[in-house]
Amino acid sequence: MKDLIKRLTEAFGPSGSEGPVREVIRKEVEPYVDEIRVDAMGNLICLKKGSGGGKKVILDAHMDEIGVIVTHIDDNGFLRFANIGGVSPMVALGQRVYFENGTFGVIGCEKLDDIKDLRLEKLYMDIGATSREEASKKVKVGDMAAFFQPAIDMGNRIVAKAMDDRIGCVVVIEALKRIKQSEHDIYAVFATQEEVGLRGARVAAYGINPDVGIAFDVTGTGDTPKAHTMEVSLGKGAAIKVKDSSLICHPGLRDYLVKLAEEKGIPYQMEVLQRGGTDSGAIQLTRAGVPAGVISIPSRYIHSPCEMVDLGDVEACVNLCVAACESPLDF
Amino acid sequence: MDLREFLKKASLAHGVSGFEFMDIASLAKDAMEGLVDEIHVDVLGNVIGVKHGQGPQPRPKIMLAGHMDEIGLIVTKIEEGGFLRFAPVGGVDQRVLPAHEVIVYGKRPLTAVIGVKPPHLTSPEEAKNAHKMKDLFIDTGLPEEEVRNLVRVGDVVTFKRQVSELMGDRLSGKALDDRAGVAVILACLDELRKYKVDADVYAVATSQEEVSLGGAVVSAYGIQPDIGIAIDVCHGETPGVPEWRTSSVGKGPALAQGANIHPKVFAALEKAAKETGVNVQKEIAPAATGTDAWAMQVTRAGVATGLVSIPLRYMHTSVETLSMSDIEGAGRLLARFIASCDAGFVKELKTWI
């Protein structure tokens, strides 16, 4: 699993440019599913057919990551950019970024009299070019770049960029590999454009018209020095979401997941996330409504290139996902 | 139908967004019994009552949406000593929280208080600022172990507030936004008995308005109405707020006008008000109304929407104040409007002007 986490987090995939991630996942899941298709929004939808009589279940994880998009190239070959998703200027400053064609850049900042004036508009990208002409040979306005950071194996914890939400993808992939018997038609949706408004999942869910939707995404923790108040801690198990800014989870499904975790002895914690949304927010409001929930992977330093997860938590999420798929889901 | 008694009960009922099933949904359902032909509850917890019309098929479909959810709090952490930290569900004003009595819906309902540091122990500097939600906590009075036994992260909390019957016909209490809208729907259904009605009426006590308009999004998709009328609250006149931003409590419901409102629905509502002698006020909404009408309007291929508002003071506090006469008036004019809707009117609505 560590190898898969490394390959997936290091793949390139800002929102709208998820192609490379999609190819890694497609190869990985092909032997374990019955049908694979890609829809108009680029969602990778994989169907693992059930034994019959069950429900249509979406397991969703988003492929896209935050990044930047080039808006202007100046005479001296410096690039200006805008954010794709929630990019903090504090986090972006001093980072290395890379484009899909392999071009690297570094993020510099105009002279500031006060660090409080730090804004994304004050930042620029330097790809080592000396003129607009030279820069334009490698990068065009509208090209996207992702943050560059190789994954680091810390033993039971792993740090990487794009752990949000490749670790969710890993959980769903692992579950597809481990599910032994399910009556349900499982639609694994590897969704696009979550970071810019839950947009891939919205259309995927409309197309599939499911009976149940469960998203797998990262959630914050309250266990770091002077963190904001939150009960979730790294290493204490799968987080079963009650609420975030995008949805209030279906109470029946939520309690069903809690009961499953208790029966199977899977470590879990209850989660209320004050800021941030997940694909389930879109899935829930599909057509005439879908019971939707979220199993979250606790993560520190979300939306930085150093997102940290605990392998014990990842394992708990996989186990809970498998248990849910192998259960009747009759909440 | 005793509207006043219903509203007093509804105000006390628990129904924080997403948790309507815990109390208010069954109250709304019971109140609809006898007024509609069938009732069902959908995936998001919307209570949908259907009253069939007598017109020729296909009959016009009219959806009435009054949201039954209320703003509240949700437990985020149980701290040492058993104190509870919390976050808002919906637009809670953190400045009015200190010294509130609340009910924590754990394994059983627990009466608790939101405590604050006494003024004696507060520095003059600190005393200048309103309390921030992140610094506040809930005290159940129970030992930590017992709290951990009874309460878990994700449990919801409501304000504990009796309904006050003020002078005249005014009520003051929590969650009148938008239990008042549910009361209007009941008043309208009751009044409809006097009319011969062509249209099928879908009376919906919607869920989750305060967090996402989610209840209206999915119920409108399921119902697929020709006309959708939201009944919600608007700001009553308040000292310190300019007159043009408010309506007068007790001077009749307000009819909204703006991009969210189909001009022909507005005109028909205005006409119904005139015919029933109900005084109405105008509420101007240039863009988003922030109500279920906003969600209904863009459902499927589009729904002709209207918005009837009950003027209410001190919105999103536990002393929301309104006049019963505005609710009764809204019920009467809506019934008249519904009775006037036939296939010809629905056809006219297929264009904006």
Side-chain angles (χ1 to χ4, degrees), chain B residues 205-228:
Chain B
T206 56
S207 63
Q208 304 202 17
E209 192 270 353
E210 296 289 1
V211 293
S212 62
L213 311 180
V217 170
V218 302
S219 58
Y221 186 98
I223 293 165
Q224 209 175 349
D226 299 300
I227 301 168

Side-chain angles (χ1 to χ4, degrees), chain A residues 206 229 231 248 251 255 287-288, chain B residues 17 21 76-78 152 221:
Chain A
Y206 187 95
T229 312
E231 187 90 3
I248 293 157
D255 291 342
R287 299 193 187 227
Chain B
S17 309
F21 63 92
T76 54
K77 191 175 172 64
I78 302 167
R152 68 177 183 182
Y221 186 98

Side-chain angles (χ1 to χ4, degrees), chain B residues 73-97:
Chain B
L73 307 172
I74 187 164
V75 175
T76 54
K77 191 175 172 64
I78 302 167
E79 290 206 327
E80 218 172 293
F83 297 107
L84 306 175
R85 298 288 183 174
F86 57 88
V89 180
V92 174
D93 183 349
Q94 58 187 354
R95 297 169 306 166
V96 303
L97 288 177

